[in-house]
Amino acid sequence: MTSPASVPPPGPTPDAPGAAADGASPAARLSRTVLDALLAGTALQERPTPWTVLTGPAAPDPVGSVRYFRGDGQGAVDAVVTVSLVVPAFGLDSHMLFAFGAADGPLPHFTLDSVQAGGGYAFHLDLVQRVDLAVSPAYADLVYGPLTAPFARASEIPGLTPAAISPRQRSLMSPWMLVHRADETALRAITPVAEEYLAHWLELARAFPAGAAAEAKEGDAPLRDRRLRRALFSREIDPVWAQVDRLLGLAATDGLRGLLITGRPADEEAGA
């Protein structure tokens, strides 16, 4: 999940301000804006999963939802998964979006987390690299170079403070990652930056630079991708999963991790 904000422990938390006229929080609106633009730029189709409505042992009411979109297996974008955890009694409104490039392709994975918890906000935005950037200069320049300007603009937004994540978590992400805590105004101001990251990613999906693609072919892309996904959604690396366990229970959390690691629900993995 690699979220900049943990799920808070059960217990009442004062409602945070910021809900829009449609009832959506700023965190939810940011995620929805980016998801709508992503789906408009791809040919993905939504498919059902066992977690359309998330429940857990902590409360009988729904605590979130999962949406899952798949391509036809021929394009650069393989799948998109969104996970929303919304528990007003805990002051939690968390939205994760992860869009996966094809396992055997060079397209970086697109990720956005937007969170409202404990009266504040946080977000995480990145294109997760598919190669070792230190020895892949064309990939670094062509794939990530265009993100340098929006990355720099984001660092100048008032109301942002760096979020605390471990060096191990940072090692999974790119140097162009943005991961910050934010006040409400700053979170709203990050929307154009997220849209710019997404627009660049969609352009890469449509026409990936040949020089960068050539460098990506030098390694075992499918093997690297499997290892990367296991690390990205590892309990040992990302402590947020222990918090999700408490909210959803072990079985549901393992199911979500499996969906994110493989890009497929278990029944599709089994050929059902």
Side-chain angles (χ1 to χ4, degrees):
M1 216 159 172
T2 316
S3 171
S6 297
V7 178
T13 301
D15 292 339
D22 60 3
S25 71
R29 289 177 67 85
L30 172 58
S31 183
R32 187 173 66 193
T33 295
V34 171
L35 176 62
D36 287 349
L38 191 160
L39 295 176
T42 61
L44 303 178
Q45 298 294 320
E46 188 163 10
R47 301 193 183 189
T49 76
W51 310 285
T52 301
V53 176
L54 292 170
T55 58
D61 297 325
V63 295
S65 61
V66 172
R67 299 184 71 185
Y68 168 58
F69 305 84
R70 276 275 307 280
D72 60 7
Q74 304 301 313
V77 182
D78 179 58
V80 172
V81 176
T82 70
V83 181
S84 295
L85 299 173
V86 182
V87 190
F90 299 170
L92 173 66
D93 192 339
S94 174
H95 303 270
M96 184 200 76
L97 185 160
F98 216 105
F100 294 100
D104 60 352
L107 182 68
H109 304 311
F110 177 90
T111 179
L112 171 68
D113 289 323
S114 54
V115 181
Q116 178 176 342
Y121 300 89
F123 75 92
H124 165 233
L125 174 67
D126 196 21
L127 272 58
V128 184
Q129 72 269 24
R130 304 292 295 276
V131 301
D132 182 351
L133 295 180
V135 296
S136 305
Y139 194 104
D141 292 341
L142 296 171
V143 174
Y144 287 96
L147 297 181
T148 300
F151 176 87
R153 289 201 306 274
S155 67
E156 298 173 355
I157 294 175
L160 295 183
T161 57
I165 66 172
S166 72
R168 184 68 179 88
Q169 287 174 281
R170 287 186 180 275
S171 75
L172 300 173
M173 301 297 168
S174 86
W176 285 262
M177 172 181 66
L178 294 167
V179 56
H180 295 273
R181 296 189 180 277
D183 60 27
E184 183 177 330
T185 300
L187 189 75
R188 294 182 188 277
I190 209 66
T191 298
V193 176
E195 291 175 323
E196 195 164 344
Y197 269 54
L198 176 65
H200 175 60
W201 185 80
L202 290 171
E203 183 57 35
L204 292 172
R206 286 188 287 267
F208 200 85
E215 286 184 340
K217 289 180 180 178
E218 295 174 1
D220 188 335
L223 175 62
R224 185 187 188 281
D225 190 61
R226 288 193 298 272
R227 289 177 172 174
L228 175 65
R229 291 194 193 196
R230 285 197 296 268
L232 281 170
F233 306 111
S234 164
R235 279 193 172 90
E236 290 72 27
I237 295 174
D238 191 347
V240 76
W241 290 110
Q243 306 286 354
V244 178
D245 284 340
R246 295 168 61 191
L247 188 62
L248 302 181
L250 286 172
T253 302
D254 280 342
L256 292 181
R257 290 180 56 247
L259 174 62
L260 291 162
I261 290 168
T262 66
R264 304 286 185 271
D267 57 356
E268 290 188 19
E269 279 289 293

